[in-house]
Amino acid sequence: MRSSAIFSFALLFLTLWCSGHEATGQTPRIIPTARLLTPPNEVSTASRPRRVFAFPASGLPSLSEANEIERRAFESTNVARAENGLAPLAWDPALCQVARTHSASMGRQGYFAHETPDGSRLRDRVRVVGIAHFRVLGENIAYNQGYDDPGAFAVERWMISAGHRANILSREFDRSAIGSFVAADGSVYLTQVFIKY
């Protein structure tokens, strides 16, 4: 009985290993892929929400300066909110800067997480752009490759994931922004940040 279990495990391992490797001489093909992580929410105990910019607000990306991926994700988020009877989120330029920086960090350093390799978390990242106080803060991240509309696709996938959907449909948040980064291999990293001051 024990030897048959070992044989079954070895066969399963061999099957999985072989399916992950293409035969030599074949033309590699890009298979659309996507990944999500369940987001942490951060709550501030600050009694007086306020914002102090570390650099001029005019240097922060407005919605009209967002790229196509960011705009599509933001618009799709507000469509999902409208379909669920919620008010739209307002675009927050400072959050866009935070989100773009995190997406670029993930793409350039080759990780996919809410925390950076040096231990920086969302709370730390918003302070860099001068957001000193907030009531509620949240983040969704996504990675995909090979999709025609990576921004809308990310929102579609977030909406079928309980934690991500909860952020998108939260009545606590009233502002948001998306930041994207496209790596050399076409991988798209997206960070969506939510806040209420």
Side-chain angles (χ1 to χ4, degrees), residues 10 17 29 35 40 65 69 74 116 119 125 140 144 146 149 157 160 164 168 193:
W17 184 81
R29 57 190 169 100
R35 292 175 60 195
E65 296 168 319
I69 295 169
F74 187 72
T116 66
R125 295 192 301 273
N140 288 343
N144 64 59
D149 191 346
R157 303 307 294 178
I160 59 175
H164 300 92
I168 290 172
V193 184

Side-chain angles (χ1 to χ4, degrees), residues 115-127:
E115 187 172 321
T116 66
D118 66 0
S120 176
R121 294 177 25 194
L122 178 57
R123 181 181 297 264
D124 306 313
R125 295 192 301 273
V126 298
R127 287 189 180 126

Side-chain angles (χ1 to χ4, degrees), residues 27-70:
T27 304
R29 57 190 169 100
I30 295 177
I31 299 171
T33 57
R35 292 175 60 195
L36 304 173
L37 279 184
T38 302
N41 285 325
E42 300 194 29
V43 178
S44 171
T45 57
S47 59
R48 293 184 318 131
R50 64 187 173 90
R51 172 197 260 156
V52 181
F53 287 108
F55 47 89
S58 60
L60 298 170
S62 67
L63 182 55
S64 64
E65 296 168 319
N67 64 44
E68 183 65 20
I69 295 169
E70 294 163 348

